[in-house]
PDB file of all heavy atoms in Angstrom:
ATOM      1  N   PHE U1333      -1.725   3.366 -17.128  1.00 92.00           N
ATOM      2  CA  PHE U1333      -2.552   2.294 -17.143  1.00 92.00           C
ATOM      3  C   PHE U1333      -3.803   2.505 -18.003  1.00 92.00           C
ATOM      4  O   PHE U1333      -4.406   1.580 -18.533  1.00 92.00           O
ATOM      5  CB  PHE U1333      -3.046   1.795 -15.744  1.00 92.00           C
ATOM      6  CG  PHE U1333      -1.852   1.663 -14.790  1.00 92.00           C
ATOM      7  CD1 PHE U1333      -2.178   1.584 -13.454  1.00 92.00           C
ATOM      8  CD2 PHE U1333      -0.618   1.262 -15.211  1.00 92.00           C
ATOM      9  CE1 PHE U1333      -1.262   1.319 -12.550  1.00 92.00           C
ATOM     10  CE2 PHE U1333       0.304   0.861 -14.309  1.00 92.00           C
ATOM     11  CZ  PHE U1333       0.214   0.922 -12.948  1.00 92.00           C
ATOM     12  N   ALA U1337      -7.541   5.458 -10.859  1.00 88.00           N
ATOM     13  CA  ALA U1337      -8.128   5.150  -9.666  1.00 88.00           C
ATOM     14  C   ALA U1337      -7.371   3.926  -9.023  1.00 88.00           C
ATOM     15  O   ALA U1337      -6.498   3.573  -9.564  1.00 88.00           O
ATOM     16  CB  ALA U1337      -9.537   4.737  -9.879  1.00 88.00           C
ATOM     17  N   MET U1338      -7.870   3.761  -7.821  1.00 92.00           N
ATOM     18  CA  MET U1338      -7.244   2.633  -7.164  1.00 92.00           C
ATOM     19  C   MET U1338      -7.270   1.401  -8.066  1.00 92.00           C
ATOM     20  O   MET U1338      -8.409   1.032  -8.462  1.00 92.00           O
ATOM     21  CB  MET U1338      -7.943   2.307  -5.816  1.00 92.00           C
ATOM     22  CG  MET U1338      -7.020   2.371  -4.547  1.00 92.00           C
ATOM     23  SD  MET U1338      -8.129   2.143  -3.035  1.00 92.00           S
ATOM     24  CE  MET U1338      -7.567   0.534  -2.546  1.00 92.00           C
ATOM     25  N   THR U1339      -6.194   0.691  -8.291  1.00 93.00           N
ATOM     26  CA  THR U1339      -6.278  -0.533  -9.115  1.00 93.00           C
ATOM     27  C   THR U1339      -6.967  -1.681  -8.525  1.00 93.00           C
ATOM     28  O   THR U1339      -7.688  -2.451  -9.086  1.00 93.00           O
ATOM     29  CB  THR U1339      -4.874  -1.022  -9.598  1.00 93.00           C
ATOM     30  OG1 THR U1339      -4.175  -1.265  -8.556  1.00 93.00           O
ATOM     31  CG2 THR U1339      -4.258   0.139 -10.421  1.00 93.00           C
ATOM     32  N   ASN U1340      -6.830  -1.712  -7.176  1.00 95.00           N
ATOM     33  CA  ASN U1340      -7.439  -2.914  -6.375  1.00 95.00           C
ATOM     34  C   ASN U1340      -8.330  -2.484  -5.310  1.00 95.00           C
ATOM     35  O   ASN U1340      -8.623  -1.308  -5.181  1.00 95.00           O
ATOM     36  CB  ASN U1340      -6.209  -3.644  -5.964  1.00 95.00           C
ATOM     37  CG  ASN U1340      -5.371  -4.326  -6.932  1.00 95.00           C
ATOM     38  OD1 ASN U1340      -4.814  -3.604  -7.863  1.00 95.00           O
ATOM     39  ND2 ASN U1340      -5.208  -5.668  -6.878  1.00 95.00           N
ATOM     40  N   SER U1341      -8.933  -3.441  -4.623  1.00 95.00           N
ATOM     41  CA  SER U1341      -9.897  -3.197  -3.522  1.00 95.00           C
ATOM     42  C   SER U1341      -9.186  -3.024  -2.143  1.00 95.00           C
ATOM     43  O   SER U1341      -8.142  -3.641  -1.984  1.00 95.00           O
ATOM     44  CB  SER U1341     -10.838  -4.306  -3.463  1.00 95.00           C
ATOM     45  OG  SER U1341     -11.518  -4.533  -4.675  1.00 95.00           O
ATOM     46  N   ILE U1342      -9.866  -2.332  -1.327  1.00 94.00           N
ATOM     47  CA  ILE U1342      -9.313  -2.079   0.077  1.00 94.00           C
ATOM     48  C   ILE U1342      -9.028  -3.448   0.690  1.00 94.00           C
ATOM     49  O   ILE U1342      -8.084  -3.751   1.274  1.00 94.00           O
ATOM     50  CB  ILE U1342     -10.356  -1.203   0.903  1.00 94.00           C
ATOM     51  CG1 ILE U1342     -10.347   0.160   0.235  1.00 94.00           C
ATOM     52  CG2 ILE U1342      -9.867  -1.155   2.218  1.00 94.00           C
ATOM     53  CD1 ILE U1342     -11.511   0.937   0.810  1.00 94.00           C
ATOM     54  N   ARG U1343     -10.001  -4.349   0.730  1.00 95.00           N
ATOM     55  CA  ARG U1343      -9.887  -5.638   1.432  1.00 95.00           C
ATOM     56  C   ARG U1343      -9.072  -6.628   0.771  1.00 95.00           C
ATOM     57  O   ARG U1343      -8.853  -7.669   1.251  1.00 95.00           O
ATOM     58  CB  ARG U1343     -11.320  -6.145   1.684  1.00 95.00           C
ATOM     59  CG  ARG U1343     -12.032  -5.369   2.740  1.00 95.00           C
ATOM     60  CD  ARG U1343     -11.714  -5.823   4.196  1.00 95.00           C
ATOM     61  NE  ARG U1343     -11.753  -4.741   5.062  1.00 95.00           N
ATOM     62  CZ  ARG U1343     -11.539  -4.721   6.449  1.00 95.00           C
ATOM     63  NH1 ARG U1343     -11.125  -5.908   6.985  1.00 95.00           N
ATOM     64  NH2 ARG U1343     -11.662  -3.788   7.233  1.00 95.00           N
ATOM     65  N   GLU U1344      -8.459  -6.161  -0.309  1.00 95.00           N
ATOM     66  CA  GLU U1344      -7.452  -7.071  -0.889  1.00 95.00           C
ATOM     67  C   GLU U1344      -6.097  -6.942  -0.213  1.00 95.00           C
ATOM     68  O   GLU U1344      -5.187  -7.758  -0.560  1.00 95.00           O
ATOM     69  CB  GLU U1344      -7.290  -6.759  -2.423  1.00 95.00           C
ATOM     70  CG  GLU U1344      -8.285  -7.505  -3.295  1.00 95.00           C
ATOM     71  CD  GLU U1344      -8.158  -7.053  -4.709  1.00 95.00           C
ATOM     72  OE1 GLU U1344      -7.121  -6.868  -5.296  1.00 95.00           O
ATOM     73  OE2 GLU U1344      -9.192  -6.828  -5.414  1.00 95.00           O
ATOM     74  N   PHE U1345      -5.857  -5.909   0.458  1.00 96.00           N
ATOM     75  CA  PHE U1345      -4.526  -5.614   1.115  1.00 96.00           C
ATOM     76  C   PHE U1345      -4.123  -6.899   1.850  1.00 96.00           C
ATOM     77  O   PHE U1345      -2.949  -7.289   2.117  1.00 96.00           O
ATOM     78  CB  PHE U1345      -4.513  -4.435   1.969  1.00 96.00           C
ATOM     79  CG  PHE U1345      -4.698  -3.168   1.199  1.00 96.00           C
ATOM     80  CD1 PHE U1345      -5.578  -2.251   1.838  1.00 96.00           C
ATOM     81  CD2 PHE U1345      -3.864  -2.938   0.050  1.00 96.00           C
ATOM     82  CE1 PHE U1345      -5.594  -0.984   0.968  1.00 96.00           C
ATOM     83  CE2 PHE U1345      -3.938  -1.775  -0.572  1.00 96.00           C
ATOM     84  CZ  PHE U1345      -4.899  -0.838  -0.171  1.00 96.00           C
ATOM     85  N   LYS U1347      -4.341  -9.928   1.022  1.00 96.00           N
ATOM     86  CA  LYS U1347      -3.746 -10.755   0.096  1.00 96.00           C
ATOM     87  C   LYS U1347      -2.310 -10.538  -0.323  1.00 96.00           C
ATOM     88  O   LYS U1347      -1.515 -11.276  -0.811  1.00 96.00           O
ATOM     89  CB  LYS U1347      -4.534 -10.939  -1.180  1.00 96.00           C
ATOM     90  CG  LYS U1347      -6.016 -11.327  -0.907  1.00 96.00           C
ATOM     91  CD  LYS U1347      -6.263 -12.799  -0.993  1.00 96.00           C
ATOM     92  CE  LYS U1347      -7.572 -13.249  -0.370  1.00 96.00           C
ATOM     93  NZ  LYS U1347      -8.818 -12.689  -0.938  1.00 96.00           N
ATOM     94  N   GLY U1473       2.938  -7.641  -4.375  1.00 96.00           N
ATOM     95  CA  GLY U1473       3.337  -6.402  -3.737  1.00 96.00           C
ATOM     96  C   GLY U1473       2.289  -5.291  -4.127  1.00 96.00           C
ATOM     97  O   GLY U1473       1.899  -5.219  -5.200  1.00 96.00           O
ATOM     98  N   SER U1474       1.877  -4.504  -3.033  1.00 96.00           N
ATOM     99  CA  SER U1474       0.860  -3.552  -3.230  1.00 96.00           C
ATOM    100  C   SER U1474       1.433  -2.201  -2.931  1.00 96.00           C
ATOM    101  O   SER U1474       2.366  -2.194  -2.107  1.00 96.00           O
ATOM    102  CB  SER U1474      -0.250  -3.959  -2.438  1.00 96.00           C
ATOM    103  OG  SER U1474      -1.370  -2.925  -2.650  1.00 96.00           O
ATOM    104  N   ILE U1475       1.108  -1.118  -3.631  1.00 96.00           N
ATOM    105  CA  ILE U1475       1.587   0.185  -3.305  1.00 96.00           C
ATOM    106  C   ILE U1475       0.397   1.066  -2.933  1.00 96.00           C
ATOM    107  O   ILE U1475      -0.702   1.077  -3.564  1.00 96.00           O
ATOM    108  CB  ILE U1475       2.357   0.829  -4.563  1.00 96.00           C
ATOM    109  CG1 ILE U1475       3.524  -0.057  -4.835  1.00 96.00           C
ATOM    110  CG2 ILE U1475       2.595   2.269  -4.238  1.00 96.00           C
ATOM    111  CD1 ILE U1475       4.090   0.345  -6.267  1.00 96.00           C
ATOM    112  N   ASN U1503       3.208  -6.320 -10.646  1.00 95.00           N
ATOM    113  CA  ASN U1503       2.281  -6.170  -9.637  1.00 95.00           C
ATOM    114  C   ASN U1503       1.026  -5.365 -10.021  1.00 95.00           C
ATOM    115  O   ASN U1503       0.568  -4.449  -9.327  1.00 95.00           O
ATOM    116  CB  ASN U1503       2.945  -5.435  -8.321  1.00 95.00           C
ATOM    117  CG  ASN U1503       3.684  -6.454  -7.605  1.00 95.00           C
ATOM    118  OD1 ASN U1503       3.109  -7.719  -7.468  1.00 95.00           O
ATOM    119  ND2 ASN U1503       4.748  -6.127  -6.928  1.00 95.00           N
ATOM    120  N   VAL U1504       0.503  -5.619 -11.251  1.00 94.00           N
ATOM    121  CA  VAL U1504      -0.751  -4.936 -11.646  1.00 94.00           C
ATOM    122  C   VAL U1504      -1.612  -6.134 -12.216  1.00 94.00           C
ATOM    123  O   VAL U1504      -1.151  -6.970 -12.815  1.00 94.00           O
ATOM    124  CB  VAL U1504      -0.487  -3.862 -12.702  1.00 94.00           C
ATOM    125  CG1 VAL U1504      -1.814  -3.031 -12.952  1.00 94.00           C
ATOM    126  CG2 VAL U1504       0.550  -3.028 -12.328  1.00 94.00           C
ATOM    127  N   GLY U1505      -2.979  -5.957 -12.097  1.00 93.00           N
ATOM    128  CA  GLY U1505      -3.876  -6.940 -12.629  1.00 93.00           C
ATOM    129  C   GLY U1505      -3.930  -8.169 -11.937  1.00 93.00           C
ATOM    130  O   GLY U1505      -4.516  -9.241 -12.554  1.00 93.00           O
ATOM    131  N   ARG U1506      -3.518  -8.161 -10.698  1.00 94.00           N
ATOM    132  CA  ARG U1506      -3.696  -9.476  -9.813  1.00 94.00           C
ATOM    133  C   ARG U1506      -4.250  -8.940  -8.542  1.00 94.00           C
ATOM    134  O   ARG U1506      -3.925  -7.892  -8.019  1.00 94.00           O
ATOM    135  CB  ARG U1506      -2.419 -10.167  -9.745  1.00 94.00           C
ATOM    136  CG  ARG U1506      -1.882 -11.010 -10.734  1.00 94.00           C
ATOM    137  CD  ARG U1506      -0.671 -11.872 -10.440  1.00 94.00           C
ATOM    138  NE  ARG U1506       0.383 -10.934 -10.050  1.00 94.00           N
ATOM    139  CZ  ARG U1506       1.260 -11.201  -9.116  1.00 94.00           C
ATOM    140  NH1 ARG U1506       1.183 -12.311  -8.395  1.00 94.00           N
ATOM    141  NH2 ARG U1506       2.225 -10.347  -8.844  1.00 94.00           N
ATOM    142  N   GLU U1507      -4.947  -9.825  -7.947  1.00 95.00           N
ATOM    143  CA  GLU U1507      -5.591  -9.613  -6.547  1.00 95.00           C
ATOM    144  C   GLU U1507      -4.393  -9.370  -5.595  1.00 95.00           C
ATOM    145  O   GLU U1507      -3.354 -10.008  -5.602  1.00 95.00           O
ATOM    146  CB  GLU U1507      -6.391 -10.812  -6.101  1.00 95.00           C
ATOM    147  CG  GLU U1507      -7.257 -10.591  -4.968  1.00 95.00           C
ATOM    148  CD  GLU U1507      -7.952 -11.874  -4.470  1.00 95.00           C
ATOM    149  OE1 GLU U1507      -7.421 -12.972  -4.632  1.00 95.00           O
ATOM    150  OE2 GLU U1507      -9.241 -11.864  -4.109  1.00 95.00           O
ATOM    151  N   GLY U1508      -4.583  -8.358  -4.720  1.00 95.00           N
ATOM    152  CA  GLY U1508      -3.554  -8.128  -3.729  1.00 95.00           C
ATOM    153  C   GLY U1508      -2.353  -7.352  -4.189  1.00 95.00           C
ATOM    154  O   GLY U1508      -1.329  -7.289  -3.460  1.00 95.00           O
ATOM    155  N   THR U1509      -2.422  -6.857  -5.333  1.00 95.00           N
ATOM    156  CA  THR U1509      -1.271  -6.067  -5.909  1.00 95.00           C
ATOM    157  C   THR U1509      -1.799  -4.632  -6.187  1.00 95.00           C
ATOM    158  O   THR U1509      -2.667  -4.279  -5.564  1.00 95.00           O
ATOM    159  CB  THR U1509      -0.801  -6.651  -7.154  1.00 95.00           C
ATOM    160  OG1 THR U1509      -1.731  -6.544  -8.159  1.00 95.00           O
ATOM    161  CG2 THR U1509      -0.363  -8.080  -7.013  1.00 95.00           C
ATOM    162  N   GLY U1510      -1.004  -3.969  -7.138  1.00 94.00           N
ATOM    163  CA  GLY U1510      -1.514  -2.708  -7.520  1.00 94.00           C
ATOM    164  C   GLY U1510      -0.944  -1.518  -7.088  1.00 94.00           C
ATOM    165  O   GLY U1510      -0.087  -1.466  -6.354  1.00 94.00           O
ATOM    166  N   VAL U1511      -1.509  -0.438  -7.691  1.00 95.00           N
ATOM    167  CA  VAL U1511      -1.097   1.022  -7.315  1.00 95.00           C
ATOM    168  C   VAL U1511      -2.399   1.547  -6.706  1.00 95.00           C
ATOM    169  O   VAL U1511      -3.288   1.789  -7.455  1.00 95.00           O
ATOM    170  CB  VAL U1511      -0.645   1.752  -8.589  1.00 95.00           C
ATOM    171  CG1 VAL U1511      -0.115   3.173  -8.171  1.00 95.00           C
ATOM    172  CG2 VAL U1511       0.553   0.994  -9.170  1.00 95.00           C
ATOM    173  N   ASN U1512      -2.263   1.886  -5.452  1.00 95.00           N
ATOM    174  CA  ASN U1512      -3.537   2.284  -4.755  1.00 95.00           C
ATOM    175  C   ASN U1512      -3.529   3.628  -4.087  1.00 95.00           C
ATOM    176  O   ASN U1512      -3.117   3.772  -2.950  1.00 95.00           O
ATOM    177  CB  ASN U1512      -3.903   1.205  -3.768  1.00 95.00           C
ATOM    178  CG  ASN U1512      -4.072  -0.106  -4.451  1.00 95.00           C
ATOM    179  OD1 ASN U1512      -4.931  -0.231  -5.251  1.00 95.00           O
ATOM    180  ND2 ASN U1512      -3.177  -1.147  -4.146  1.00 95.00           N
ATOM    181  N   PRO U1513      -3.935   4.687  -4.912  1.00 94.00           N
ATOM    182  CA  PRO U1513      -4.185   6.002  -4.342  1.00 94.00           C
ATOM    183  C   PRO U1513      -5.123   6.082  -3.279  1.00 94.00           C
ATOM    184  O   PRO U1513      -6.375   5.617  -3.657  1.00 94.00           O
ATOM    185  CB  PRO U1513      -4.325   6.900  -5.580  1.00 94.00           C
ATOM    186  CG  PRO U1513      -5.113   5.903  -6.520  1.00 94.00           C
ATOM    187  CD  PRO U1513      -4.437   4.548  -6.274  1.00 94.00           C
ATOM    188  N   ASN U1638     -16.307   5.366  -3.229  1.00 95.00           N
ATOM    189  CA  ASN U1638     -15.131   5.441  -2.284  1.00 95.00           C
ATOM    190  C   ASN U1638     -13.886   5.317  -3.092  1.00 95.00           C
ATOM    191  O   ASN U1638     -13.866   5.170  -4.212  1.00 95.00           O
ATOM    192  CB  ASN U1638     -15.300   4.602  -1.069  1.00 95.00           C
ATOM    193  CG  ASN U1638     -14.929   3.051  -1.508  1.00 95.00           C
ATOM    194  OD1 ASN U1638     -14.718   2.715  -2.585  1.00 95.00           O
ATOM    195  ND2 ASN U1638     -14.958   2.281  -0.444  1.00 95.00           N
ATOM    196  N   THR U1639     -12.833   5.293  -2.293  1.00 94.00           N
ATOM    197  CA  THR U1639     -11.457   5.261  -2.971  1.00 94.00           C
ATOM    198  C   THR U1639     -11.270   3.907  -3.671  1.00 94.00           C
ATOM    199  O   THR U1639     -10.489   3.848  -4.497  1.00 94.00           O
ATOM    200  CB  THR U1639     -10.416   5.558  -1.839  1.00 94.00           C
ATOM    201  OG1 THR U1639      -9.216   5.628  -2.540  1.00 94.00           O
ATOM    202  CG2 THR U1639     -10.318   4.424  -0.762  1.00 94.00           C
ATOM    203  N   GLY U1640     -12.082   2.897  -3.109  1.00 94.00           N
ATOM    204  CA  GLY U1640     -12.012   1.700  -3.871  1.00 94.00           C
ATOM    205  C   GLY U1640     -12.922   1.444  -5.024  1.00 94.00           C
ATOM    206  O   GLY U1640     -13.182   0.375  -5.376  1.00 94.00           O
ATOM    207  N   ARG U1641     -13.273   2.621  -5.621  1.00 95.00           N
ATOM    208  CA  ARG U1641     -14.229   2.612  -6.818  1.00 95.00           C
ATOM    209  C   ARG U1641     -15.477   1.958  -6.342  1.00 95.00           C
ATOM    210  O   ARG U1641     -16.246   1.514  -7.391  1.00 95.00           O
ATOM    211  CB  ARG U1641     -13.689   1.868  -7.990  1.00 95.00           C
ATOM    212  CG  ARG U1641     -12.324   2.507  -8.513  1.00 95.00           C
ATOM    213  CD  ARG U1641     -11.764   1.703  -9.660  1.00 95.00           C
ATOM    214  NE  ARG U1641     -10.984   0.562  -9.064  1.00 95.00           N
ATOM    215  CZ  ARG U1641     -11.413  -0.644  -8.996  1.00 95.00           C
ATOM    216  NH1 ARG U1641     -12.442  -1.104  -9.471  1.00 95.00           N
ATOM    217  NH2 ARG U1641     -10.471  -1.593  -8.518  1.00 95.00           N
ATOM    218  N   GLN U1707     -18.560  -1.963  -7.504  1.00 96.00           N
ATOM    219  CA  GLN U1707     -17.212  -1.260  -7.775  1.00 96.00           C
ATOM    220  C   GLN U1707     -17.196  -1.128  -9.289  1.00 96.00           C
ATOM    221  O   GLN U1707     -17.317  -2.155 -10.167  1.00 96.00           O
ATOM    222  CB  GLN U1707     -16.024  -2.113  -7.364  1.00 96.00           C
ATOM    223  CG  GLN U1707     -15.810  -2.137  -5.972  1.00 96.00           C
ATOM    224  CD  GLN U1707     -14.713  -3.128  -5.403  1.00 96.00           C
ATOM    225  OE1 GLN U1707     -15.076  -4.281  -5.417  1.00 96.00           O
ATOM    226  NE2 GLN U1707     -13.566  -2.644  -5.147  1.00 96.00           N
ATOM    227  N   THR U1718     -16.137  -4.611 -10.555  1.00 95.00           N
ATOM    228  CA  THR U1718     -14.735  -4.969 -10.830  1.00 95.00           C
ATOM    229  C   THR U1718     -13.819  -4.805  -9.551  1.00 95.00           C
ATOM    230  O   THR U1718     -13.555  -3.616  -9.294  1.00 95.00           O
ATOM    231  CB  THR U1718     -14.234  -4.373 -11.981  1.00 95.00           C
ATOM    232  OG1 THR U1718     -15.028  -4.441 -13.090  1.00 95.00           O
ATOM    233  CG2 THR U1718     -12.788  -4.890 -12.377  1.00 95.00           C
ATOM    234  N   PRO U1719     -13.485  -5.920  -8.857  1.00 95.00           N
ATOM    235  CA  PRO U1719     -12.703  -5.658  -7.718  1.00 95.00           C
ATOM    236  C   PRO U1719     -11.296  -5.119  -8.032  1.00 95.00           C
ATOM    237  O   PRO U1719     -10.694  -4.387  -7.275  1.00 95.00           O
ATOM    238  CB  PRO U1719     -12.516  -7.062  -7.003  1.00 95.00           C
ATOM    239  CG  PRO U1719     -13.657  -7.768  -7.606  1.00 95.00           C
ATOM    240  CD  PRO U1719     -13.966  -7.294  -8.914  1.00 95.00           C
ATOM    241  N   TYR U1720     -10.618  -5.695  -9.105  1.00 94.00           N
ATOM    242  CA  TYR U1720      -9.349  -5.145  -9.516  1.00 94.00           C
ATOM    243  C   TYR U1720      -9.275  -4.922 -10.992  1.00 94.00           C
ATOM    244  O   TYR U1720      -9.824  -5.641 -11.756  1.00 94.00           O
ATOM    245  CB  TYR U1720      -8.184  -5.979  -8.813  1.00 94.00           C
ATOM    246  CG  TYR U1720      -8.144  -7.318  -9.331  1.00 94.00           C
ATOM    247  CD1 TYR U1720      -7.451  -7.663 -10.482  1.00 94.00           C
ATOM    248  CD2 TYR U1720      -8.804  -8.214  -8.694  1.00 94.00           C
ATOM    249  CE1 TYR U1720      -7.338  -9.055 -10.943  1.00 94.00           C
ATOM    250  CE2 TYR U1720      -8.825  -9.663  -8.979  1.00 94.00           C
ATOM    251  CZ  TYR U1720      -8.054  -9.973 -10.205  1.00 94.00           C
ATOM    252  OH  TYR U1720      -7.982 -11.278 -10.631  1.00 94.00           O
ATOM    253  N   LEU U1721      -8.495  -3.891 -11.354  1.00 92.00           N
ATOM    254  CA  LEU U1721      -8.407  -3.416 -12.740  1.00 92.00           C
ATOM    255  C   LEU U1721      -7.264  -4.114 -13.486  1.00 92.00           C
ATOM    256  O   LEU U1721      -6.307  -4.692 -12.839  1.00 92.00           O
ATOM    257  CB  LEU U1721      -8.231  -1.970 -12.795  1.00 92.00           C
ATOM    258  CG  LEU U1721      -9.244  -1.087 -12.032  1.00 92.00           C
ATOM    259  CD1 LEU U1721      -8.804   0.429 -12.120  1.00 92.00           C
ATOM    260  CD2 LEU U1721     -10.505  -1.260 -12.654  1.00 92.00           C
ATOM    261  N   HIS U1722      -7.471  -4.035 -14.851  1.00 92.00           N
ATOM    262  CA  HIS U1722      -6.236  -4.363 -15.655  1.00 92.00           C
ATOM    263  C   HIS U1722      -5.878  -5.897 -15.550  1.00 92.00           C
ATOM    264  O   HIS U1722      -4.729  -6.214 -15.582  1.00 92.00           O
ATOM    265  CB  HIS U1722      -5.000  -3.588 -15.314  1.00 92.00           C
ATOM    266  CG  HIS U1722      -5.223  -2.111 -15.126  1.00 92.00           C
ATOM    267  ND1 HIS U1722      -5.813  -1.232 -15.899  1.00 92.00           N
ATOM    268  CD2 HIS U1722      -4.932  -1.353 -14.068  1.00 92.00           C
ATOM    269  CE1 HIS U1722      -5.970  -0.079 -15.442  1.00 92.00           C
ATOM    270  NE2 HIS U1722      -5.382  -0.064 -14.305  1.00 92.00           N
TER     271      HIS U1722
END
Side-chain angles (χ1 to χ4, degrees):
Chain U
F1333 301 160
M1338 241 175 106
T1339 56
N1340 292 57
S1341 303
I1342 294 168
R1343 286 278 150 178
E1344 270 174 44
F1345 290 136
K1347 303 268 165 57
S1474 181
I1475 298 172
N1503 278 330
V1504 190
R1506 282 184 300 140
E1507 201 181 29
T1509 66
V1511 181
N1512 298 298
N1638 80 354
T1639 187
R1641 293 173 283 104
Q1707 283 172 287
T1718 309
Y1720 60 94
L1721 305 175
H1722 318 302

